[in-house]
Short mmCIF file of all heavy atoms in Angstrom, two decimals:
data_model
loop_
_atom_site.label_atom_id
_atom_site.label_comp_id
_atom_site.label_asym_id
_atom_site.label_seq_id
_atom_site.Cartn_x
_atom_site.Cartn_y
_atom_site.Cartn_z
N ALA A 28 101.23 155.50 69.29
CA ALA A 28 101.39 156.94 69.19
C ALA A 28 100.78 157.65 70.37
O ALA A 28 101.37 158.57 70.91
CB ALA A 28 100.76 157.44 67.90
N LEU A 29 99.59 157.17 70.83
CA LEU A 29 98.95 157.77 71.99
C LEU A 29 99.84 157.63 73.23
O LEU A 29 99.94 158.54 74.01
CB LEU A 29 97.57 157.18 72.21
CG LEU A 29 96.73 157.78 73.28
CD1 LEU A 29 96.41 159.23 72.96
CD2 LEU A 29 95.42 157.00 73.46
N GLY A 30 100.47 156.47 73.34
CA GLY A 30 101.34 156.25 74.49
C GLY A 30 102.47 157.22 74.58
O GLY A 30 102.92 157.63 75.65
N GLN A 31 102.95 157.67 73.41
CA GLN A 31 104.06 158.61 73.38
C GLN A 31 103.61 160.01 73.81
O GLN A 31 104.41 160.82 74.24
CB GLN A 31 104.69 158.65 72.01
CG GLN A 31 105.36 157.33 71.67
CD GLN A 31 105.83 157.29 70.22
OE1 GLN A 31 105.39 158.05 69.38
NE2 GLN A 31 106.74 156.36 69.96
N LEU A 32 102.31 160.28 73.66
CA LEU A 32 101.81 161.62 74.07
C LEU A 32 101.63 161.70 75.57
O LEU A 32 101.59 162.78 76.13
CB LEU A 32 100.47 161.90 73.37
CG LEU A 32 100.57 162.05 71.86
CD1 LEU A 32 99.19 162.21 71.27
CD2 LEU A 32 101.44 163.24 71.49
N GLY A 33 101.44 160.55 76.22
CA GLY A 33 101.36 160.54 77.67
C GLY A 33 99.95 160.44 78.23
O GLY A 33 98.96 160.43 77.51
N ALA A 34 99.92 160.39 79.56
CA ALA A 34 98.65 160.16 80.27
C ALA A 34 97.65 161.27 80.06
O ALA A 34 96.45 161.04 79.90
CB ALA A 34 98.93 159.98 81.76
N ALA A 35 98.10 162.51 80.04
CA ALA A 35 97.16 163.65 79.88
C ALA A 35 96.41 163.53 78.57
O ALA A 35 95.19 163.75 78.54
CB ALA A 35 97.91 164.97 79.94
N ALA A 36 97.12 163.22 77.52
CA ALA A 36 96.44 163.06 76.18
C ALA A 36 95.49 161.89 76.21
O ALA A 36 94.39 161.96 75.67
CB ALA A 36 97.50 162.89 75.11
N ALA A 37 95.93 160.81 76.81
CA ALA A 37 95.08 159.61 76.85
C ALA A 37 93.79 159.87 77.64
O ALA A 37 92.72 159.45 77.25
CB ALA A 37 95.84 158.45 77.45
N LEU A 38 93.92 160.55 78.75
CA LEU A 38 92.75 160.85 79.55
C LEU A 38 91.81 161.83 78.85
O LEU A 38 90.59 161.83 79.11
CB LEU A 38 93.16 161.41 80.93
CG LEU A 38 93.86 160.39 81.84
CD1 LEU A 38 94.42 161.07 83.05
CD2 LEU A 38 92.93 159.25 82.22
N SER A 39 92.31 162.62 77.92
CA SER A 39 91.51 163.53 77.14
C SER A 39 90.73 162.81 76.03
O SER A 39 89.75 163.32 75.53
CB SER A 39 92.38 164.59 76.48
OG SER A 39 93.00 165.40 77.47
N TYR A 40 91.20 161.64 75.66
CA TYR A 40 90.58 160.85 74.59
C TYR A 40 90.25 159.44 75.08
O TYR A 40 90.89 158.48 74.68
CB TYR A 40 91.48 160.77 73.38
CG TYR A 40 91.80 162.13 72.79
CD1 TYR A 40 92.98 162.78 73.10
CD2 TYR A 40 90.85 162.78 71.98
CE1 TYR A 40 93.24 164.04 72.56
CE2 TYR A 40 91.12 164.04 71.46
CZ TYR A 40 92.31 164.65 71.76
OH TYR A 40 92.57 165.89 71.24
N PRO A 41 89.26 159.30 75.97
CA PRO A 41 88.96 157.99 76.56
C PRO A 41 88.54 156.95 75.47
O PRO A 41 88.76 155.76 75.65
CB PRO A 41 87.83 158.27 77.52
CG PRO A 41 87.28 159.60 77.15
CD PRO A 41 88.37 160.34 76.49
N GLY A 42 88.00 157.40 74.36
CA GLY A 42 87.65 156.48 73.31
C GLY A 42 88.85 155.76 72.72
O GLY A 42 88.78 154.59 72.36
N ALA A 43 89.98 156.47 72.65
CA ALA A 43 91.20 155.86 72.18
C ALA A 43 91.69 154.79 73.16
O ALA A 43 92.14 153.72 72.74
CB ALA A 43 92.26 156.92 71.97
N VAL A 44 91.61 155.06 74.43
CA VAL A 44 92.01 154.09 75.43
C VAL A 44 91.09 152.87 75.35
O VAL A 44 91.57 151.73 75.42
CB VAL A 44 92.02 154.73 76.86
CG1 VAL A 44 92.31 153.69 77.92
CG2 VAL A 44 93.01 155.86 76.90
N GLU A 45 89.80 153.09 75.20
CA GLU A 45 88.84 151.96 75.11
C GLU A 45 89.21 151.10 73.88
O GLU A 45 89.11 149.88 73.95
CB GLU A 45 87.43 152.46 74.96
CG GLU A 45 86.84 152.94 76.29
CD GLU A 45 86.68 151.80 77.29
OE1 GLU A 45 86.41 150.65 76.91
OE2 GLU A 45 86.80 152.08 78.49
N ALA A 46 89.56 151.72 72.80
CA ALA A 46 89.97 150.95 71.58
C ALA A 46 91.17 150.09 71.88
O ALA A 46 91.22 148.91 71.43
CB ALA A 46 90.22 151.90 70.44
N ILE A 47 92.15 150.62 72.60
CA ILE A 47 93.32 149.82 72.95
C ILE A 47 92.92 148.67 73.86
O ILE A 47 93.40 147.53 73.68
CB ILE A 47 94.38 150.70 73.63
CG1 ILE A 47 94.94 151.74 72.63
CG2 ILE A 47 95.56 149.84 74.17
CD1 ILE A 47 95.82 152.79 73.24
N ILE A 48 92.06 148.90 74.79
CA ILE A 48 91.60 147.90 75.73
C ILE A 48 90.93 146.75 74.97
O ILE A 48 91.17 145.57 75.24
CB ILE A 48 90.68 148.48 76.79
CG1 ILE A 48 91.47 149.42 77.71
CG2 ILE A 48 90.00 147.39 77.62
CD1 ILE A 48 90.63 150.29 78.59
N LYS A 49 90.12 147.08 73.99
CA LYS A 49 89.46 146.03 73.16
C LYS A 49 90.49 145.15 72.46
O LYS A 49 90.28 143.94 72.28
CB LYS A 49 88.49 146.62 72.16
CG LYS A 49 87.26 147.19 72.81
CD LYS A 49 86.32 147.77 71.78
CE LYS A 49 85.11 148.36 72.48
NZ LYS A 49 84.17 148.95 71.52
N LEU A 50 91.61 145.72 72.07
CA LEU A 50 92.63 144.96 71.38
C LEU A 50 93.32 143.95 72.32
O LEU A 50 93.97 143.03 71.79
CB LEU A 50 93.68 145.90 70.78
CG LEU A 50 93.17 146.81 69.64
CD1 LEU A 50 94.25 147.81 69.26
CD2 LEU A 50 92.71 145.97 68.45
N LEU A 51 93.18 144.10 73.60
CA LEU A 51 93.76 143.11 74.53
C LEU A 51 93.15 141.72 74.38
O LEU A 51 93.72 140.75 74.81
CB LEU A 51 93.59 143.58 75.98
CG LEU A 51 94.33 144.84 76.39
CD1 LEU A 51 93.92 145.26 77.77
CD2 LEU A 51 95.83 144.66 76.28
N GLU A 52 91.99 141.68 73.70
CA GLU A 52 91.30 140.35 73.51
C GLU A 52 91.44 139.88 72.07
O GLU A 52 90.78 138.90 71.70
CB GLU A 52 89.85 140.50 73.93
CG GLU A 52 89.72 140.79 75.41
CD GLU A 52 88.27 140.84 75.87
OE1 GLU A 52 87.37 140.88 75.05
OE2 GLU A 52 88.10 140.81 77.09
N ASP A 53 92.25 140.51 71.25
CA ASP A 53 92.42 140.12 69.85
C ASP A 53 92.99 138.71 69.79
O ASP A 53 93.76 138.28 70.67
CB ASP A 53 93.34 141.10 69.16
CG ASP A 53 93.25 140.96 67.64
OD1 ASP A 53 93.98 140.13 67.08
OD2 ASP A 53 92.45 141.71 67.06
N GLU A 54 92.64 137.98 68.74
CA GLU A 54 93.15 136.62 68.61
C GLU A 54 94.63 136.60 68.21
O GLU A 54 95.34 135.58 68.44
CB GLU A 54 92.34 135.81 67.61
CG GLU A 54 92.36 136.35 66.20
CD GLU A 54 91.45 135.56 65.28
OE1 GLU A 54 90.27 135.36 65.60
OE2 GLU A 54 91.92 135.17 64.21
N ASN A 55 95.13 137.67 67.66
CA ASN A 55 96.52 137.74 67.26
C ASN A 55 97.42 138.14 68.45
O ASN A 55 97.21 139.17 69.03
CB ASN A 55 96.65 138.76 66.12
CG ASN A 55 98.07 138.84 65.56
OD1 ASN A 55 99.02 139.04 66.28
ND2 ASN A 55 98.17 138.67 64.24
N GLN A 56 98.38 137.29 68.73
CA GLN A 56 99.23 137.56 69.91
C GLN A 56 100.01 138.84 69.78
O GLN A 56 100.22 139.53 70.78
CB GLN A 56 100.21 136.40 70.10
CG GLN A 56 101.27 136.26 69.03
CD GLN A 56 102.22 135.15 69.27
OE1 GLN A 56 102.05 134.33 70.17
NE2 GLN A 56 103.24 135.05 68.45
N ALA A 57 100.44 139.23 68.59
CA ALA A 57 101.18 140.46 68.40
C ALA A 57 100.30 141.67 68.72
O ALA A 57 100.76 142.66 69.32
CB ALA A 57 101.71 140.58 66.98
N VAL A 58 99.04 141.59 68.39
CA VAL A 58 98.11 142.69 68.64
C VAL A 58 97.88 142.81 70.16
O VAL A 58 97.93 143.89 70.72
CB VAL A 58 96.77 142.49 67.89
CG1 VAL A 58 95.74 143.54 68.33
CG2 VAL A 58 96.99 142.58 66.40
N ARG A 59 97.64 141.65 70.81
CA ARG A 59 97.45 141.68 72.28
C ARG A 59 98.65 142.22 72.99
O ARG A 59 98.53 143.06 73.88
CB ARG A 59 97.15 140.24 72.80
CG ARG A 59 95.83 139.69 72.38
CD ARG A 59 95.50 138.41 73.14
NE ARG A 59 96.53 137.41 73.18
CZ ARG A 59 96.73 136.47 72.27
NH1 ARG A 59 96.00 136.42 71.17
NH2 ARG A 59 97.69 135.53 72.43
N GLY A 60 99.84 141.78 72.57
CA GLY A 60 101.07 142.24 73.21
C GLY A 60 101.30 143.73 73.00
O GLY A 60 101.70 144.46 73.91
N SER A 61 101.05 144.18 71.76
CA SER A 61 101.24 145.62 71.49
C SER A 61 100.27 146.49 72.23
O SER A 61 100.62 147.57 72.70
CB SER A 61 101.09 145.86 69.98
OG SER A 61 102.12 145.22 69.28
N ALA A 62 99.04 146.02 72.36
CA ALA A 62 98.02 146.76 73.15
C ALA A 62 98.42 146.86 74.60
O ALA A 62 98.29 147.92 75.23
CB ALA A 62 96.65 146.12 72.98
N ALA A 63 98.90 145.77 75.16
CA ALA A 63 99.34 145.76 76.56
C ALA A 63 100.53 146.71 76.75
O ALA A 63 100.56 147.48 77.71
CB ALA A 63 99.70 144.34 77.01
N ALA A 64 101.47 146.67 75.78
CA ALA A 64 102.63 147.58 75.86
C ALA A 64 102.20 149.05 75.78
O ALA A 64 102.74 149.91 76.47
CB ALA A 64 103.62 147.21 74.79
N ALA A 65 101.23 149.30 74.89
CA ALA A 65 100.73 150.70 74.73
C ALA A 65 100.11 151.20 76.04
O ALA A 65 100.36 152.33 76.44
CB ALA A 65 99.73 150.76 73.62
N LEU A 66 99.35 150.36 76.70
CA LEU A 66 98.76 150.76 78.00
C LEU A 66 99.85 150.99 79.00
O LEU A 66 99.77 151.91 79.82
CB LEU A 66 97.76 149.71 78.47
CG LEU A 66 96.44 149.67 77.70
CD1 LEU A 66 95.62 148.51 78.19
CD2 LEU A 66 95.69 150.96 77.84
N GLY A 67 100.90 150.17 78.97
CA GLY A 67 102.02 150.36 79.87
C GLY A 67 102.70 151.71 79.67
O GLY A 67 103.11 152.36 80.63
N GLU A 68 102.82 152.12 78.40
CA GLU A 68 103.43 153.41 78.11
C GLU A 68 102.55 154.56 78.61
O GLU A 68 103.07 155.62 78.97
CB GLU A 68 103.64 153.58 76.60
CG GLU A 68 104.74 152.70 76.06
CD GLU A 68 104.91 152.87 74.53
OE1 GLU A 68 104.47 153.92 74.02
OE2 GLU A 68 105.48 151.96 73.93
N LEU A 69 101.26 154.34 78.60
CA LEU A 69 100.33 155.39 79.07
C LEU A 69 100.43 155.57 80.60
O LEU A 69 100.18 156.65 81.12
CB LEU A 69 98.90 155.08 78.69
CG LEU A 69 98.63 155.18 77.20
CD1 LEU A 69 97.21 154.70 76.91
CD2 LEU A 69 98.83 156.60 76.71
N GLY A 70 100.77 154.52 81.27
CA GLY A 70 101.04 154.60 82.72
C GLY A 70 99.88 154.18 83.61
O GLY A 70 98.74 153.97 83.15
N ALA A 71 100.20 154.04 84.87
CA ALA A 71 99.26 153.55 85.88
C ALA A 71 98.05 154.45 86.05
O ALA A 71 96.96 153.93 86.30
CB ALA A 71 100.00 153.37 87.22
N GLU A 72 98.19 155.73 85.90
CA GLU A 72 97.07 156.65 86.05
C GLU A 72 95.97 156.32 85.06
O GLU A 72 94.79 156.26 85.40
CB GLU A 72 97.52 158.08 85.91
CG GLU A 72 96.37 159.09 86.06
CD GLU A 72 96.85 160.55 85.84
OE1 GLU A 72 98.03 160.76 85.51
OE2 GLU A 72 96.01 161.41 85.94
N VAL A 73 96.37 156.10 83.79
CA VAL A 73 95.37 155.79 82.77
C VAL A 73 94.77 154.43 82.98
O VAL A 73 93.56 154.24 82.90
CB VAL A 73 96.01 155.91 81.36
CG1 VAL A 73 95.10 155.41 80.28
CG2 VAL A 73 96.43 157.34 81.12
N VAL A 74 95.62 153.45 83.24
CA VAL A 74 95.15 152.07 83.41
C VAL A 74 94.23 151.97 84.61
O VAL A 74 93.16 151.38 84.54
CB VAL A 74 96.34 151.10 83.51
CG1 VAL A 74 95.85 149.69 83.83
CG2 VAL A 74 97.14 151.10 82.19
N SER A 75 94.62 152.53 85.71
CA SER A 75 93.81 152.42 86.93
C SER A 75 92.52 153.19 86.86
O SER A 75 91.59 152.93 87.59
CB SER A 75 94.61 152.85 88.15
OG SER A 75 94.96 154.19 88.09
N SER A 76 92.41 154.15 85.93
CA SER A 76 91.17 154.93 85.79
C SER A 76 90.12 154.14 85.00
O SER A 76 88.99 154.56 84.91
CB SER A 76 91.46 156.26 85.12
OG SER A 76 91.76 156.07 83.75
N ASN A 77 90.50 153.00 84.45
CA ASN A 77 89.57 152.19 83.69
C ASN A 77 89.58 150.75 84.23
O ASN A 77 90.51 150.01 83.99
CB ASN A 77 89.96 152.20 82.21
CG ASN A 77 88.93 151.57 81.34
OD1 ASN A 77 88.48 150.46 81.62
ND2 ASN A 77 88.54 152.27 80.30
N PRO A 78 88.51 150.34 84.93
CA PRO A 78 88.48 149.01 85.53
C PRO A 78 88.58 147.90 84.47
O PRO A 78 89.12 146.83 84.76
CB PRO A 78 87.15 148.96 86.27
CG PRO A 78 86.39 150.18 85.89
CD PRO A 78 87.32 151.13 85.23
N HIS A 79 88.09 148.16 83.26
CA HIS A 79 88.19 147.13 82.22
C HIS A 79 89.65 146.86 81.85
O HIS A 79 90.02 145.75 81.57
CB HIS A 79 87.41 147.52 80.97
CG HIS A 79 85.94 147.67 81.22
ND1 HIS A 79 85.13 146.60 81.51
CD2 HIS A 79 85.15 148.76 81.23
CE1 HIS A 79 83.87 147.04 81.65
NE2 HIS A 79 83.86 148.34 81.51
N ALA A 80 90.43 147.91 81.86
CA ALA A 80 91.85 147.79 81.51
C ALA A 80 92.57 146.89 82.54
O ALA A 80 93.30 145.99 82.15
CB ALA A 80 92.52 149.14 81.44
N VAL A 81 92.33 147.14 83.79
CA VAL A 81 92.98 146.38 84.86
C VAL A 81 92.55 144.90 84.75
O VAL A 81 93.38 144.00 84.74
CB VAL A 81 92.59 146.94 86.24
CG1 VAL A 81 93.14 146.07 87.34
CG2 VAL A 81 93.12 148.36 86.37
N GLU A 82 91.25 144.65 84.60
CA GLU A 82 90.76 143.26 84.49
C GLU A 82 91.40 142.51 83.32
O GLU A 82 91.82 141.37 83.44
CB GLU A 82 89.22 143.26 84.32
CG GLU A 82 88.47 143.72 85.52
CD GLU A 82 87.00 143.90 85.21
OE1 GLU A 82 86.50 143.42 84.15
OE2 GLU A 82 86.32 144.55 86.03
N ARG A 83 91.44 143.18 82.19
CA ARG A 83 91.94 142.50 80.98
C ARG A 83 93.46 142.33 81.03
O ARG A 83 93.99 141.31 80.54
CB ARG A 83 91.49 143.26 79.75
CG ARG A 83 90.02 143.12 79.57
CD ARG A 83 89.49 143.65 78.31
NE ARG A 83 88.05 143.42 78.25
CZ ARG A 83 87.16 144.31 77.83
NH1 ARG A 83 87.56 145.48 77.44
NH2 ARG A 83 85.89 144.01 77.76
N LEU A 84 94.17 143.26 81.63
CA LEU A 84 95.61 143.10 81.77
C LEU A 84 95.92 141.94 82.73
O LEU A 84 96.82 141.14 82.46
CB LEU A 84 96.26 144.38 82.26
CG LEU A 84 96.45 145.48 81.21
CD1 LEU A 84 96.88 146.77 81.87
CD2 LEU A 84 97.47 145.03 80.17
N VAL A 85 95.18 141.84 83.80
CA VAL A 85 95.37 140.73 84.73
C VAL A 85 95.10 139.37 84.02
O VAL A 85 95.84 138.44 84.17
CB VAL A 85 94.47 140.87 85.99
CG1 VAL A 85 94.46 139.61 86.81
CG2 VAL A 85 94.95 142.06 86.79
N LYS A 86 94.06 139.36 83.19
CA LYS A 86 93.76 138.14 82.43
C LYS A 86 94.92 137.81 81.48
O LYS A 86 95.24 136.59 81.33
CB LYS A 86 92.46 138.38 81.64
CG LYS A 86 91.99 137.18 80.87
CD LYS A 86 90.69 137.51 80.16
CE LYS A 86 90.24 136.35 79.30
NZ LYS A 86 88.98 136.66 78.55
N LEU A 87 95.57 138.76 80.91
CA LEU A 87 96.68 138.51 79.99
C LEU A 87 97.89 137.93 80.71
O LEU A 87 98.76 137.36 80.05
CB LEU A 87 97.08 139.78 79.24
CG LEU A 87 96.16 140.23 78.11
CD1 LEU A 87 96.76 141.45 77.40
CD2 LEU A 87 95.91 139.10 77.12
N LEU A 88 97.97 138.10 81.98
CA LEU A 88 99.10 137.51 82.74
C LEU A 88 99.08 135.99 82.66
O LEU A 88 100.08 135.33 82.97
CB LEU A 88 99.08 137.96 84.19
CG LEU A 88 99.30 139.44 84.40
CD1 LEU A 88 99.13 139.82 85.86
CD2 LEU A 88 100.71 139.84 83.93
N GLU A 89 97.96 135.42 82.20
CA GLU A 89 97.82 133.97 82.04
C GLU A 89 97.71 133.59 80.57
O GLU A 89 97.34 132.45 80.23
CB GLU A 89 96.60 133.46 82.83
CG GLU A 89 96.74 133.68 84.31
CD GLU A 89 95.53 133.20 85.07
OE1 GLU A 89 94.59 132.65 84.49
OE2 GLU A 89 95.54 133.40 86.31
N ASP A 90 98.05 134.51 79.67
CA ASP A 90 97.97 134.24 78.23
C ASP A 90 98.90 133.08 77.85
O ASP A 90 99.94 132.85 78.49
CB ASP A 90 98.41 135.48 77.43
CG ASP A 90 98.00 135.44 76.01
OD1 ASP A 90 98.80 134.86 75.18
OD2 ASP A 90 96.90 135.92 75.66
N ARG A 91 98.51 132.36 76.84
CA ARG A 91 99.32 131.21 76.40
C ARG A 91 100.67 131.61 75.79
O ARG A 91 101.57 130.79 75.72
CB ARG A 91 98.52 130.37 75.37
CG ARG A 91 98.23 131.06 74.10
CD ARG A 91 97.31 130.24 73.18
NE ARG A 91 96.98 130.95 71.96
CZ ARG A 91 96.04 131.84 71.86
NH1 ARG A 91 95.23 132.10 72.89
NH2 ARG A 91 95.79 132.45 70.73
N GLU A 92 100.79 132.88 75.42
CA GLU A 92 102.03 133.36 74.79
C GLU A 92 102.88 134.15 75.77
O GLU A 92 102.38 135.11 76.36
CB GLU A 92 101.69 134.24 73.54
CG GLU A 92 100.89 133.50 72.48
CD GLU A 92 101.70 132.38 71.82
OE1 GLU A 92 102.96 132.43 71.85
OE2 GLU A 92 101.03 131.48 71.29
N LEU A 93 104.12 133.76 75.89
CA LEU A 93 105.05 134.41 76.84
C LEU A 93 105.19 135.89 76.56
O LEU A 93 105.19 136.71 77.49
CB LEU A 93 106.40 133.71 76.82
CG LEU A 93 107.50 134.35 77.66
CD1 LEU A 93 107.12 134.29 79.12
CD2 LEU A 93 108.83 133.64 77.40
N GLY A 94 105.33 136.28 75.30
CA GLY A 94 105.51 137.67 74.95
C GLY A 94 104.32 138.54 75.39
O GLY A 94 104.52 139.67 75.81
N VAL A 95 103.13 137.99 75.29
CA VAL A 95 101.94 138.70 75.70
C VAL A 95 101.95 138.85 77.23
O VAL A 95 101.66 139.94 77.76
CB VAL A 95 100.63 138.02 75.22
CG1 VAL A 95 99.40 138.68 75.80
CG2 VAL A 95 100.60 137.96 73.71
N ARG A 96 102.28 137.77 77.94
CA ARG A 96 102.37 137.84 79.40
C ARG A 96 103.40 138.90 79.83
O ARG A 96 103.16 139.68 80.77
CB ARG A 96 102.71 136.50 79.99
CG ARG A 96 101.62 135.46 79.81
CD ARG A 96 101.87 134.18 80.62
NE ARG A 96 103.15 133.57 80.43
CZ ARG A 96 103.41 132.57 79.60
NH1 ARG A 96 102.45 132.08 78.85
NH2 ARG A 96 104.61 132.04 79.49
N ASP A 97 104.54 138.91 79.15
CA ASP A 97 105.58 139.91 79.48
C ASP A 97 105.09 141.33 79.27
O ASP A 97 105.35 142.23 80.10
CB ASP A 97 106.80 139.67 78.64
CG ASP A 97 107.66 138.47 79.13
OD1 ASP A 97 107.38 137.98 80.23
OD2 ASP A 97 108.50 138.00 78.35
N SER A 98 104.38 141.56 78.18
CA SER A 98 103.85 142.90 77.91
C SER A 98 102.81 143.33 78.91
O SER A 98 102.70 144.53 79.19
CB SER A 98 103.23 142.95 76.48
OG SER A 98 104.24 142.75 75.50
N ALA A 99 102.06 142.38 79.41
CA ALA A 99 100.99 142.69 80.36
C ALA A 99 101.52 142.92 81.78
O ALA A 99 100.83 143.51 82.61
CB ALA A 99 99.97 141.56 80.41
N SER A 100 102.75 142.50 82.05
CA SER A 100 103.28 142.60 83.42
C SER A 100 103.94 143.91 83.70
O SER A 100 104.16 144.76 82.91
CB SER A 100 104.25 141.50 83.70
OG SER A 100 105.38 141.55 82.87
#
C-alpha cells in the first residue's frame, strides 16, 4: 500500500520503510520477494536514501530463490 502512495509518502514515514527493509531478511521467500517488490515500487529515491535498503537488496540478488532474486533486481 505504501508503494502505491509513492516516494513522497514513504519519505514522510521512514519507520514504514524500515519495516519493509526488515522483511527483506524474513525466512519466507514470499515475504522477502514482496518486500523487495514494495521497495521497487517506492523507487530509487527512497531506496538510495537508506543504506540498509541498498545493502539488503544487493544481498537478495544472491538469494536461493529465483523469484526473490527477480524482485530484488
Side-chain angles (χ1 to χ4, degrees):
L29 186 62
Q31 294 173 341
L32 294 175
L38 292 171
S39 297
Y40 299 100
V44 174
E45 284 294 328
I47 295 171
I48 292 168
K49 287 181 183 180
L50 294 174
L51 295 173
E52 296 183 346
D53 196 273
E54 63 184 50
N55 184 307
Q56 68 179 7
V58 173
R59 292 191 311 274
S61 294
L66 288 174
E68 288 179 21
L69 292 174
E72 179 183 2
V73 172
V74 173
S75 64
S76 71
N77 189 310
H79 297 292
V81 175
E82 292 170 14
R83 291 187 178 137
L84 283 170
V85 169
K86 183 178 176 183
L87 284 185
L88 293 174
E89 297 179 3
D90 195 274
R91 65 185 177 277
E92 299 295 336
L93 176 62
V95 174
R96 293 191 306 265
D97 284 346
S98 293
S100 63

